[in-house]
Amino acid sequence: MPQQTPADQPGSDRPGPGDTDPRTPPAAAPQTGEPQTGEPQAGEPQSGGGPGERIPDGWREANRANWDERVPIHVASEFYSVDAFRAGREVLRGHEIAEVGEVTGRSLLHLQCHFGQDTLAWARRGASRVVGLDFSEPAVENARALAAELGLGPDRAAFVAADVYDAVEAVPDRSYGIVYTGTGALNWLPDVERWAETAAALVAPGGFLYLSEFHPVTDMLDDETGSRVVHDYFSPAAWVSEEPNTYTDSAATLANRRSVEWQHPIGEVVSALCAAGLRLEFLHEHDVSVFARFGNLVKEGEHHYRFPADRPRVPLMYSLKATRPR
């Protein structure tokens, strides 16, 4: 399973430096997504750490330190192009805009929001109030500053520093018309059932959760061609990385290199959301990615990557919408 998936990446141009996969293969043995902390549920297996273990010791602290250090690098990077965003650049993916639909007059909560570009993009598209939640204090501080620069006060765009599993208690409103997340988010969470319960609790009656995420099938395939099965699709083990760089800047060396991720089969995600009381409206699989996930993907237009026309396709991303009945 590749590592270091960004959660809040700029628009459709997901490729990292050199248009290569910003994530690296697992050590010996995973948005945007943004890592989150949170205590395992009672009875959840824990371990002494290391590659292949279910929940390595110190994973929360390691992920937080890793992402806190990434924030200033990302904010200053060409990859995120903050100046272009300030000038009006659209950063949301085309399929997200189409599938979420009209947001004018609706409240929107963005879980695992990094430093807020996607969150603020929904405000620009007309959401009456957006709230972004991220576990990184530096990310939230930068998100608040960016909102202020755009003239969006706390009544239109608020940001909260908290663990995603603590979102119900941390966010300012009881529920939201839209709960939005993904693109490298779930891979940072060990417990999808707990995530689903938390997210579902924040969806207002008649509202919906929208998730757009990298397809877990890609994590079991070889990085070079995406044609050979080399990893276990159903493995619950953590993937531990010691990657020295971040996906926006291969020249920036991290002091806090350790990160821990998990893969979650689609069936696990959908079942968790349904068990939490939401009704699945659609599950779409996409043969396009927003970065060069495999070495042989072909760039199509400015922002999309697909397999060559002469080879069989596998899904590269998926998206779903799950509603709460009135």
Side-chain angles (χ1 to χ4, degrees), residues 5-271:
T5 314
D8 178 350
Q9 301 181 54
S12 297
D13 35 351
R14 297 300 169 126
D19 288 348
T20 58
D21 187 346
R23 306 182 293 176
T24 59
Q31 49 1 298
T32 314
E34 186 72 18
Q36 295 291 334
T37 60
E39 297 297 326
Q41 291 294 298
E44 186 174 53
Q46 300 189 53
S47 74
E53 302 291 350
R54 175 65 181 95
I55 302 181
D57 289 343
W59 70 272
R60 311 168 191 81
E61 297 80 7
N63 281 347
R64 181 184 289 111
N66 179 270
W67 278 87
D68 283 353
E69 188 175 355
R70 294 191 203 194
V71 170
I73 300 171
H74 291 184
V75 171
S77 70
E78 182 179 350
F79 184 84
Y80 279 98
S81 301
V82 174
D83 286 342
F85 178 75
R86 291 190 189 101
R89 178 190 181 207
E90 179 59 81
V91 299
L92 297 171
R93 281 60 63 189
H95 71 272
E96 294 180 345
I97 294 170
E99 293 175 344
V100 170
E102 182 60 62
V103 299
T104 300
R106 307 194 71 171
S107 60
L108 182 144
L109 171 64
H110 184 183
L111 299 176
Q112 297 169 264
C113 70
H114 199 24
F115 68 92
Q117 282 194 335
D118 285 6
T119 321
L120 296 170
W122 288 115
R124 281 177 167 173
R125 298 192 70 84
S128 59
R129 174 174 169 80
V130 297
V131 175
L133 178 143
D134 196 272
F135 85 145
S136 169
E137 289 276 2
V140 168
E141 291 170 2
N142 277 275
R144 290 169 177 162
L146 185 56
E149 291 174 10
L150 298 177
L152 298 171
D155 59 324
R156 284 290 315 283
F159 291 91
V160 177
D163 184 291
V164 70
Y165 291 133
D166 297 329
V168 172
E169 296 79 19
V171 297
D173 305 304
R174 182 182 180 88
S175 62
Y176 297 82
I178 302 169
V179 175
Y180 163 83
T181 190
T183 318
L186 294 188
N187 53 296
W188 298 101
L189 304 177
D191 189 340
V192 164
E193 289 77 14
R194 189 178 177 192
W195 163 81
E197 291 169 358
T198 301
L202 290 162
V203 178
F208 63 88
L209 175 140
Y210 179 81
L211 169 69
S212 176
E213 192 56 278
F214 296 113
H215 203 294
V217 162
T218 63
D219 291 328
M220 68 185 221
L221 303 176
D222 70 286
D223 290 332
E224 293 75 22
T225 67
S227 62
R228 295 181 295 108
V229 175
V230 295
H231 300 296
D232 184 352
Y233 179 79
F234 297 102
S235 174
W239 297 85
V240 181
S241 172
E242 295 285 347
E243 178 64 29
N245 312 112
T246 183
Y247 54 88
T248 65
D249 188 348
S250 59
T253 301
L254 298 174
N256 297 289
R257 300 180 178 185
R258 189 170 188 257
S259 63
V260 185
E261 303 175 59
W262 290 263
Q263 65 185 44
H264 301 290
I266 288 182
E268 177 185 348
V269 176
V270 170
S271 295

